[in-house]
């Protein structure tokens, strides 16, 4: 059983608490820190927390606490992690780990130096659809992964601090791109080094200093490409989609906006529909089990079992640091309009990979480019001569 101190009583802290109290049925949030007394009191009442305070250190240091869960604004993550290291308290931290790679690296090193457990709460890498897709990729069902794309777009976050560039560290790219980078990285291979990023980012709609829309390509050392699109200006709810393409197959995932559950309502008697839903009338797209479908249940189960068994979880502080480094490069690229290198002073993956090529032999003389059956019934192949390089077509037989 974990006795958890929740740092932050807002939207994400409540999502976490719902999962923590429901999944393993034995872990409990026993303490709450919030910056405002009314928030702390209400959270303590709603989740039966015996301990509440507006003093972060007091809550972290409490002797009954075995695990600290950070659900705070981005600018407070660093302080909270250093306090956990000071008091030797195991810690899990919401995304992004830091506002930048320097902060994330300091947090990672503090946890490792203190010898405590550190888990990175990247929930979208624990959604049931993602886990099933990743299992297929790892089994080789898609062959060699060439391209992985992730998109998250919605009308913008719930709390005021997200819209403040200093507190948040960035805009939609840091808020949503952290999900997308780690999703693509997982499919391509976490031990494959991200080397360069090309990014476009702009403030198209919102009256803020940070970006509200961004698109980027992330080049990996083995030649694979990760791609993300993120937006705080998308209208119509929350769009979460992933695509993976390999030499032997393709996966499409739609996590949220189109889930097979559609409902029409005039709005009479309607209330909450789903996270980031813009309306409670008209055609609506509810989510059957939001906490589970967004990965929170699987995430906390992995975190706590890993901690109790003395092993690393699927998502670590090291992963959070890599994600921050990729996003740092994306921000530099958005400014320079050039490919920018990913700076990784600490890298624990493979070294010296080169782009891979897959050449399929048709016979001793030719490589196979493509095989197909045409609309007129021909079964044909397109081939490349291994010596001359000439491209030719060849009919195998006619399909009746």
């Amino acid at each position: 059983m974990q006795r958890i101190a929740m740092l932050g009583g807002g939207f994400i802290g409540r999502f976490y608490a719902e999962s923590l109290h429901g999944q393993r049925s034995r872990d409990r949030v026993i303490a709450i820190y919030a910056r405002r007394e009314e928030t702390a009191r209400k959270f303590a009442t709603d989740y039966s927390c015996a301990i509440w305070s507006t003093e972060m250190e007091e809550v972290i240091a409490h002797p009954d606490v075995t695990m600290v869960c950070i659900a705070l604004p981005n600018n407070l993550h660093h302080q909270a992690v250093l306090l956990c290291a000071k008091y030797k308290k195991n810690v899990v931290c919401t995304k992004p780990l830091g506002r930048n790679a320097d902060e994330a690296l300091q947090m990672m090193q503090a946890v490792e130096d203190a010898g405590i457990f550190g888990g990175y709460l990247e929930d979208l890498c624990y959604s049931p659809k993602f886990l099933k897709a990743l299992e297929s990729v790892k089994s080789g069902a898609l062959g060699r992964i060439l391209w992985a794309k992730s998109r998250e777009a919605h009308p913008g976050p719930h709390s005021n601090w997200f819209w403040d560039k200093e507190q948040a560290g960035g805009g939609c790219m840091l808020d949503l791109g952290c999900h997308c980078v780690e999703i693509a990285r997982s499919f391509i291979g976490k031990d494959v080094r991200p080397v360069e990023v090309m990014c476009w980012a702009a403030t198209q709609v919102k009256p803020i200093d940070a970006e509200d829309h961004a698109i980027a390509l992330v080049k990996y050392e083995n030649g694979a490409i990760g791609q993300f699109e993120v937006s705080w200006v998308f209208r119509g709810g929350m769009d979460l989609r992933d695509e993976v393409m390999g030499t032997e197959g393709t996966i499409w995932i739609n996590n949220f906006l189109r889930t097979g559950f559609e409902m029409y309502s005039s709005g009479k008697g309607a209330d909450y529909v789903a996270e980031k839903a813009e309306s409670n009338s008209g055609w609506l797209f509810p989510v059957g089990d939001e906490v589970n479908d967004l990965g929170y249940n699987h995430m906390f189960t992995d975190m706590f079992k890993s901690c109790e068994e003395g092993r690393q979880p699927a998502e670590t502080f090291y992963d959070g640091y890599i994600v921050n480094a990729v996003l740092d490069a994306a921000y530099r690229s958005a400014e320079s309009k050039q490919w920018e290198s990913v700076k990784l002073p600490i890298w624990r993956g493979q070294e010296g990979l080169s782009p891979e090529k897959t050449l399929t032999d048709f016979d001793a003389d030719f490589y196979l480019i493509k095989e197909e059956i045409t609309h007129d019934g021909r079964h044909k192949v397109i081939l490349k001569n291994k010596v001359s390089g000439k491209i030719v077509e060849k009919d195998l037989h006619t399909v009746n």
Side-chain angles (χ1 to χ4, degrees), residues 74-75 77-78 96-108 165-170 174 317 320-329 331-332 343:
N74 298 346
N75 62 313
H77 293 185
H78 185 269
L97 187 58
R99 288 177 293 179
N100 52 59
D102 288 341
E103 278 191 354
L105 182 56
Q106 291 171 25
M107 294 157 71
M108 180 190 85
K165 187 175 181 180
E166 175 58 29
Q167 291 185 76
L174 190 60
F317 273 32
Y321 148 69
I322 299 294
V323 168
N324 269 127
V326 171
L327 291 173
D328 283 359
Y331 278 109
R332 291 194 300 272
K343 298 177 181 178

Side-chain angles (χ1 to χ4, degrees), residues 1-300:
M1 172 183 176
Q2 295 293 336
R3 298 186 300 279
I4 301 144
M6 185 68 68
L7 308 185
F11 182 85
I12 193 63
R14 287 176 169 271
F15 253 124
Y16 286 170
E18 295 293 327
S19 177
L20 290 167
H21 285 182
Q23 175 69 349
R24 300 202 309 172
S25 300
R26 63 178 184 266
D27 307 302
R28 303 301 300 177
V29 179
I30 66 164
I32 173 68
Y33 157 77
R35 292 167 294 163
R36 295 182 298 178
E37 182 175 327
E38 59 269 31
T39 302
R41 282 184 178 275
K42 181 167 176 34
F43 190 103
T45 299
D46 291 346
Y47 295 100
S48 302
C49 299
I51 306 155
W52 66 268
S53 178
T54 56
E55 296 294 330
M56 187 191 301
E57 187 165 359
E58 176 185 340
V59 170
I60 292 172
H62 198 284
D64 291 345
V65 169
T66 63
M67 174 78 73
V68 175
C69 181
I70 300 173
L72 293 167
N74 298 346
N75 62 313
L76 299 177
H77 293 185
H78 185 269
Q79 175 191 357
V81 168
L82 295 189
L83 284 171
C84 290
K86 175 181 176 180
Y87 290 99
K88 305 290 185 182
K89 294 297 178 77
N90 296 323
V91 58
V92 290
C93 181
T94 192
K95 61 79 194 173
L97 187 58
R99 288 177 293 179
N100 52 59
D102 288 341
E103 278 191 354
L105 182 56
Q106 291 171 25
M107 294 157 71
M108 180 190 85
Q109 291 175 324
V111 163
E112 293 180 355
D113 290 346
I116 57 176
F117 177 87
Y120 178 49
L121 299 181
E122 178 42 81
D123 60 286
L124 294 186
C125 286
Y126 287 96
S127 72
K129 290 178 183 177
F130 172 84
L131 292 175
K132 184 68 174 179
L134 186 61
E135 181 183 334
S136 296
V137 168
K138 288 185 174 181
S139 73
L142 270 63
R144 178 166 59 88
I145 301 303
L146 306 172
W147 173 70
K149 174 186 176 183
S150 185
R151 166 184 166 88
E152 180 169 359
H154 57 62
H158 305 281
S159 300
N160 60 342
W161 66 263
F162 282 97
W163 304 93
D164 182 323
K165 187 175 181 180
E166 175 58 29
Q167 291 185 76
C172 65
M173 193 150 58
L174 190 60
D175 178 34
L176 310 180
C178 56
H179 290 305
C180 301
V181 168
E182 188 64 353
I183 287 167
R185 183 172 167 255
S186 297
F187 285 130
I188 291 168
K190 287 188 180 183
D191 61 344
V192 180
R193 187 175 188 133
V195 292
E196 287 184 297
V197 181
M198 171 63 79
C199 179
W200 166 88
T203 309
Q204 293 188 307
V205 176
K206 307 295 185 181
I208 58 174
D209 295 330
E211 76 288 348
D212 60 18
H213 194 177
I215 302 170
L217 298 175
V218 182
K219 188 186 300 182
Y220 286 78
E221 196 172 41
N222 67 349
I225 288 287
Q227 179 180 342
F228 69 74
E229 180 182 356
V230 293
S231 180
W232 281 348
V233 298
F234 174 78
R235 304 306 302 271
M238 182 157 69
D239 188 13
L240 296 176
R241 282 181 281 163
D242 305 324
E243 300 178 37
V244 195
M245 183 180 73
T247 55
E248 303 297 330
T250 303
I251 290 174
W252 295 341
I253 302 173
N254 194 326
N255 280 305
F256 217 77
L257 197 58
R258 289 290 188 275
T259 61
F261 185 173
E262 300 186 18
M263 174 179 76
Y264 179 86
S265 172
S266 67
K268 184 177 181 180
D271 195 4
Y272 180 82
V273 177
E275 184 182 349
K276 306 298 191 304
E278 290 199 87
S279 173
N280 61 6
S281 64
W283 279 107
L284 308 171
F285 309 101
V287 180
D289 185 347
E290 199 163 338
V291 169
N292 189 66
D293 289 350
L294 286 174
Y296 296 119
N297 291 340
H298 293 85
M299 176 177 71
F300 282 114

